DNA sequence: TATCTTCCATAAGTACACCTTATGGATCGC
DNA sequence: GCGATCCATAAGGTGTACTTATGGAAGATA
């Protein structure tokens, strides 16, 4: 028991509503001939006339009249369903992001995005997994990595720079930090982090003897940041993530020397969806705020 | 706010129900590739993924899950609507017929048709208007006319023959009818009917002087037949319409001479619908019963 | 660990359905 | 009688919605 061609049903629905093929054609954006064709098709399929052709009008037959309300109802349901999904899909921006970026950069700034786009709700999914738009429901993502990804639009936000940071109290405990060597006097969080060796090499120290438990591994930089803020040791952190703490003096960056790996943070989204409004809005917002950092 | 392509919606509905593109393809009688294509199309149109592509399965996204029940509901409505119309359209045979044919031939025999086709209901529309299948809801029609009609399948049932008839009592009132002249002694119903002159010419009487009021015009032959049966006068009638009355002796046909015009009675229906089962059934039934008459 | 199977995506090619243009017929109104 | 309105039909082009073919990814199986 198959349905007749849906295109024909749609045409019938419109024609029945208008009681007029020409008007139905207008509504559907096609010619009157096409409407006539589709109705005829449907009538052949159903095996019964659906309209009586009177001189200057068409009138539903009994069968047609019984059919019409149902079809209208069905299309109303479809219209309603797709209208709301469009709304809801348009109105919610889902972001998957690395926890570090979420905690240190994104969340503190999200308020400004909301201000600019009051009609957009934001849903944040913070996960360390590599994101895959085919397997996760998300509109945009923040990734860290070295290169671009195929199939995705990739905006490089900034490189994952790093430099030692510590709390003022900790610095004061040894009378302030003047030279890189001073850091070696203090406990270091996650001394196994390769960033340390890279950075010390930049300042001319080949094999720094770091104090601290090698097994310390907080995993995410923002957790390390919390520890540093609490004065538990020196961390090697990415400055952009701690701008406000630096400005407010809660954190000290003793040296301008900044290491930089190949890793960068990226804003990414599927190429196919590059023109979805909410995605464009988010992209524009992120990029303009990244520009502010660089300035 | 236009709906996405309906074909795509239908595919989505099936895919959502099965949670499996391959099975959906089977149900719809198409290939898996086509399903994949349509879903992708719909997702682009909606602007959101509707399925998550997991390793060996697809799962509805949030948006897809919200959409799916509505689409299923809509299609259920359509399926139900078209299923019942098909039933009802298949189960009711609407016949438009000339009143004479209805009263004298069809109605007395309809019982046998019902017996042969118990699943078919019959609706009779008896009207003198020329029937036009474009303007009337009918499956088949009985017309009288001289030639075939374009666009219609036309089965000639019998010619509109005619011969004088009267009630036995009326005949007895003048001692029986032996020659055509005897008819002139009796009142004649509708003496203005051209059939009279034609018939009398056949029996060698050029200008019969008919008794009776020229203004008598019962219009339909079956009404004239009633009057004849009541003994109100001699009528000129079509024998096939009064077979049973003749057999039972309620009516007398004094002469075998039968006039015949060019007019015939036809069974007609639109060519396009010649293979609709109920129409074939009725045609077969009518034609076989007409054959009985001729035999 | 390797092989097979399942399930989906994608590319390329094709056919038919669907729509358009053009025309004609019928009726109503002025 | 003439124009306007509304639908039917024929002919013809085109794009969409398929198909076939292939490949990739990940369970299942052994």
């Amino acid at each position: 028991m198959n349905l007749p061609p849906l295109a024909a049903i749609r045409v019938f629905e419109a024609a029945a509503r208008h009681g007029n093929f020409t008007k139905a054609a207008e509504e559907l954006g096609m010619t009157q001939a096409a409407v006539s064709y589709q109705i005829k098709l449907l009538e052949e399929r159903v095996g019964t006339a659906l309209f009586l052709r009177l001189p200057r009008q068409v009138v539903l037959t009994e069968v047609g009249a019984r059919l019409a309300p149902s079809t209208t109802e069905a299309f109303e349901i479809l219209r309603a369903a797709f209208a709301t999904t469009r709304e809801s899909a348009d109105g919610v921006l889902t972001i998957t992001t690395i926890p570090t970026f979420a905690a240190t950069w994104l969340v503190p700034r999200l308020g400004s995005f909301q201000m600019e786009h009051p009609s957009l709700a934001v849903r944040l999914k913070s996960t360390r997994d590599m994101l895959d738009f085919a397997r996760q429901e998300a509109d945009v993502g923040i990734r860290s990595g070295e290169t671009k990804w195929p199939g995705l639009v990739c905006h490089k936000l900034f490189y994952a720079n790093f430099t030692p940071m510590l709390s003022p109290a900790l610095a004061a405990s040894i009378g302030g930090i003047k030279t890189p060597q001073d850091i070696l006097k203090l406990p270091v969080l996650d001394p196994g982090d390769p960033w340390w060796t890279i950075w010390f090499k930049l300042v001319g120290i080949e094999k720094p003897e770091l104090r601290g438990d090698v097994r310390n591994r907080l995993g995410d930089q923002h957790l390390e940041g919390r520890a540093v803020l609490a004065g538990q040791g020196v961390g090697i952190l990415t400055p952009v993530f701690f701008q406000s703490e630096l400005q407010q003096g809660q954190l000290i960056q003793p040296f301008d020397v900044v290491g930089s790996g190949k890793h960068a943070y990226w804003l990414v989204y599927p190429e196919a969806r590059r023109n979805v409004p909410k995605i464009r809005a988010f992209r524009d917002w992120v990029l303009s705020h990244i520009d502010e950092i660089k300035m």
Side-chain angles (χ1 to χ4, degrees), chain A:
Chain A
M1 206 287 301
N2 273 336
L3 278 175
L6 289 169
I9 299 181
R10 166 144 76 182
V11 170
F12 167 74
E13 192 269 336
R17 239 182 318 109
H18 286 107
N20 181 313
F21 288 6
T22 309
K23 293 218 183 79
E26 278 170 29
E27 173 183 317
L28 298 171
M30 53 197 215
T31 58
Q32 169 269 321
V35 171
S36 181
Y37 168 84
Q38 292 286 8
I39 298 287
K40 189 176 180 185
L41 211 73
L42 187 60
E43 288 178 329
E44 274 168 22
R45 180 64 177 269
V46 171
T48 310
L50 298 173
F51 288 96
L52 295 179
R53 275 69 170 181
L54 303 185
R56 281 164 59 105
Q57 56 178 333
V58 287
V59 178
L60 284 167
T61 63
E62 209 171 295
V63 175
R66 200 139 20 95
L67 219 40
S70 298
T71 58
T72 299
E73 188 190 350
F75 281 102
E76 285 301 329
I77 290 172
L78 289 180
R79 265 187 275 271
F82 280 93
T84 62
T85 72
R86 207 158 313 179
E87 273 170 33
S88 77
D90 286 355
V92 178
L93 176 77
T94 302
I95 307 168
T96 71
T97 171
I98 301 163
T100 298
F101 189 87
T104 59
W105 197 94
L106 190 55
V107 170
R109 287 171 178 78
L110 258 186
S112 117
F113 180 73
Q114 307 266 30
M115 296 283 283
E116 285 181 31
H117 301 281
S119 63
L120 274 181
V122 172
R123 192 181 326 173
L124 215 53
K125 289 188 173 182
S126 171
T127 162
R128 208 170 291 144
D129 304 337
M130 274 294 267
L131 90 174
D132 181 343
F133 286 100
R135 309 193 181 181
Q136 259 188 290
E137 292 191 51
D139 298 307
V140 299
I142 305 289
R143 282 185 174 184
S144 91
E146 297 189 7
T147 75
K148 298 192 174 191
W149 291 267
L152 299 179
V153 178
C154 303
H155 300 278
K156 190 186 288 172
L157 301 181
F158 40 72
Y159 280 103
N161 291 335
F162 46 89
T163 190
M165 294 195 195
L166 70 170
S167 69
L170 191 63
S173 71
I174 59 162
I177 305 285
K178 274 119 194 169
T179 68
Q181 274 83 359
D182 291 339
I183 292 173
L184 300 177
K185 300 172 188 165
L186 291 169
V188 158
L189 296 164
D190 195 0
D193 191 327
W195 280 2
W196 281 119
T197 40
I198 298 172
W199 187 83
F200 272 108
K201 198 179 249 173
L202 284 175
V203 295
I205 298 172
E206 274 304 326
K207 291 196 173 170
E209 288 186 11
L210 297 168
R211 299 174 59 191
D213 193 331
V214 190
R215 290 165 304 179
N216 272 344
R217 207 156 249 174
L218 298 174
D220 287 326
Q221 194 176 164
H222 75 283
L223 294 179
E224 194 171 326
R226 291 302 112 193
V228 172
L229 276 167
Q232 295 180 13
V234 187
I236 186 149
L237 302 172
T238 303
V240 282
F241 287 152
F242 299 95
Q243 282 191 305
S244 67
E245 285 85 352
L246 289 167
Q247 277 170 12
Q248 292 168 24
Q250 301 173 278
L251 229 48
I252 293 177
Q253 177 187 338
F255 308 102
D256 287 337
V257 176
V258 171
S260 98
K262 291 169 189 166
H263 270 261
Y265 288 89
W266 303 78
L267 166 64
V268 299
Y269 44 85
E271 273 174 5
R273 303 189 66 211
R274 68 157 65 87
N275 286 321
V276 174
K278 60 182 178 182
I279 292 180
R280 299 176 65 156
F282 185 72
R283 178 199 60 196
D284 293 344
W285 176 81
V286 167
L287 294 184
S288 71
H289 283 257
I290 291 294
D291 284 346
E292 282 175 17
I293 295 171
K294 291 178 179 166
M295 286 189 296

